Amino acid sequence: MKAPKYRSSKAQQKGAPPVANDALVMTGVEFLLSMVESRWASKNGDRGPSERGERTYQELDKIDQQIARLQDVAGADESTRQEIQQLRDRVEALRKEMTSHFGAWEKTELARHPQRPYALDYIERIFTDWSELHGDRGFGDDPALVCGMARFHGEEVMIVGHQKARDTKQKVYRNFGMPNPEGYRKALRVMKIAEKFGRPLFTFVDTPGAYPGLGAEERGQAEAIARNLREMVRLQVPIVTTITGEGGSGGALAIAVADRVLMMENSIYAVISPEGCASIMWRDPAKKELAAQAMRITAEDLKELGCIDAIVPEPEGGAHVDHEAAALLLDAALHKHLSELKKNPVKELLDSRYTKFRNMAQFLQVED
């Protein structure tokens, strides 16, 4: 007796030829997921924890795609939908298990995940009436930094954020999220508009660092960053910064001198990349995992050191799994911290902001 073949309702409506046997596809997905679960549990088959985690994530992404295709053709069959939901639950459970064991390097890989939401993804979901501003009024526009005005829960605000991209054409256009001097000068222009009209400022950090090219240096990269640091310290409006992915060196700090500095749960914030640190300290970039651990670049480490003010939780598995859920969690955190800052007079904000950054990296050593 032949096994029954299942067809999607869409295919039946269009009179398309029979699709592949969905029951066999379901069995294949379940078999693949079982193999991934077994490999993760046994901790075998990979050279190290980061390779094992990256391989598992790639396989889970493929399983997600196959489950999504099954969902499209499931139709009204209740038992099939239940089986699909069980597969989804197992995928999410495995992601949760992986996240609980992540070290500094695994979180670095998550912070760089190509499907992680970028500044414009958050702006689209959290703010309304977004209107982007372009140009530094001196040299040109820099797409690696997006700046503009919007409304946040009905209140007029200004926004500055690093913008990465996912496809090759957009990566080149956005310069891989590495701003030139004109980008930082554009950001400062928007900050001054915020101050002039008394609008709170939100900044979103996600960059490997400022662009180190010859042209950028010729146009005053270091001066542009230094000027932003000075001006942000005395900007007379509330400032809330969120590290959403990579926070790389002065390129990140140039828009991160804020009253409240938040970090997404799986983001990183450091003066140099783990690969760069490993190359300098051990002359071996392959020691990047050791460098990431030693540098203490995760949100938990930096909260403990007093370099940030709060950690924003992410959906199970990371922000790249569910952009909507990540945006909702960030929205709640931004609203909470802005509400608290608005209760303070401007002078208190400035004094507190200055004191906070002056006190960073101060440690007491008690000798016997």
Side-chain angles (χ1 to χ4, degrees):
M1 183 175 180
K2 294 183 178 180
K5 289 188 176 181
Y6 299 89
R7 298 176 56 193
S8 70
S9 56
K10 293 181 181 178
Q12 290 173 341
Q13 292 172 1
K14 296 180 180 179
V19 295
N21 190 322
D22 295 340
L24 291 178
V25 175
M26 181 83 73
T27 302
V29 172
E30 186 170 2
F31 177 71
L32 179 58
L33 181 54
S34 298
M35 290 182 60
V36 174
E37 290 171 332
S38 299
R39 187 183 301 115
W40 175 258
S42 65
K43 297 180 172 57
N44 291 326
D46 294 290
R47 291 176 295 173
S50 69
E51 287 86 351
R52 184 164 58 91
E54 181 63 22
R55 179 178 176 182
T56 303
Y57 257 110
Q58 291 173 356
E59 291 172 334
L60 288 179
D61 287 342
K62 293 178 181 177
I63 291 172
D64 270 337
Q65 294 172 8
Q66 294 182 22
I67 292 176
R69 286 197 290 268
L70 283 171
Q71 186 76 51
D72 290 339
V73 301
D77 185 26
E78 182 63 27
S79 62
T80 303
R81 289 206 303 269
Q82 289 179 357
E83 290 180 27
I84 291 174
Q85 186 57 48
Q86 289 174 1
L87 290 174
R88 288 191 184 278
D89 292 342
R90 287 171 61 185
V91 170
E92 292 306 313
L94 182 54
R95 281 202 171 103
K96 184 176 181 179
E97 171 70 14
M98 292 172 62
T99 304
S100 65
H101 292 86
F102 278 168
W105 177 249
E106 286 79 15
K107 292 200 172 186
T108 300
E109 292 179 324
L110 273 187
R112 297 171 175 174
H113 196 286
Q115 296 305 316
R116 195 170 179 83
Y118 299 140
L120 288 176
D121 296 313
Y122 285 119
I123 291 170
E124 176 187 349
R125 290 166 173 80
I126 297 175
F127 301 89
T128 59
D129 302 315
W130 163 248
S131 179
E132 187 172 352
L133 301 177
H134 298 273
D136 66 343
R137 300 285 179 87
F139 178 82
D141 189 36
D142 185 357
L145 264 174
V146 293
C147 307
M149 57 188 73
R151 292 183 185 274
F152 179 67
H153 292 265
E155 181 177 5
E156 293 180 336
V157 299
M158 303 300 291
I159 301 173
V160 173
H162 296 104
Q163 179 63 28
K164 291 182 177 179
R166 295 186 174 89
D167 61 73
T168 303
K169 183 178 180 180
Q170 281 294 309
K171 285 180 180 179
V172 173
Y173 175 67
R174 299 288 181 184
N175 202 31
F176 297 86
M178 296 185 289
N180 282 285
E182 51 271 21
Y184 293 112
R185 293 181 177 123
K186 175 175 67 171
L188 180 58
R189 174 190 161 210
V190 169
M191 294 174 193
K192 289 298 185 180
I193 294 174
E195 185 176 52
K196 179 178 180 180
F197 294 102
R199 298 181 178 182
L201 176 67
F202 290 104
T203 70
F204 298 94
V205 174
D206 188 10
T207 180
Y211 185 60
L214 178 61
E217 297 298 335
E218 289 176 341
R219 296 194 298 277
Q221 184 74 286
E223 187 275 341
I225 292 173
R227 184 179 294 273
N228 276 24
L229 300 180
R230 184 189 71 180
E231 296 300 325
M232 288 191 78
V233 168
R234 56 194 189 189
L235 203 67
Q236 298 188 35
V237 292
I239 308 173
V240 181
T241 290
T242 306
I243 316 296
T244 60
E246 289 183 276
S249 193
L253 189 60
I255 64 168
V257 181
D259 301 295
R260 297 289 169 85
V261 180
L262 318 179
M263 281 186 72
M264 300 297 289
E265 182 182 356
N266 294 311
S267 61
I268 59 171
Y269 197 17
V271 70
I272 191 173
S273 69
E275 296 92 333
C277 175
S279 297
I280 294 172
M281 296 301 297
W282 295 284
R283 309 293 183 188
D284 183 5
K287 295 186 181 294
K288 56 192 178 184
E289 296 179 36
L290 178 60
Q293 189 67 35
M295 291 166 65
R296 303 192 67 182
I297 60 179
T298 66
E300 291 81 4
D301 290 331
L302 293 165
K303 180 69 168 62
E304 182 182 342
L305 293 170
C307 295
I308 65 169
D309 299 290
I311 300 173
V312 181
E314 297 185 17
E316 295 294 349
H320 65 283
V321 174
D322 190 338
H323 290 196
E324 297 292 341
L328 285 174
L329 292 167
L330 180 55
D331 178 44
L334 295 178
H335 189 260
K336 171 182 177 292
H337 288 283
L338 180 61
S339 299
E340 293 173 355
L341 291 173
K342 286 165 60 179
K343 298 176 183 178
N344 300 324
V346 172
K347 187 177 186 309
E348 288 185 15
L349 279 180
L350 296 179
D351 291 343
S352 176
R353 190 186 308 160
Y354 179 82
T355 301
K356 178 174 73 171
F357 280 87
R358 288 292 294 175
N359 288 339
M360 284 183 188
Q362 292 186 9
F363 300 93
L364 298 177
Q365 181 176 355
V366 179
E367 297 182 357
D368 295 332

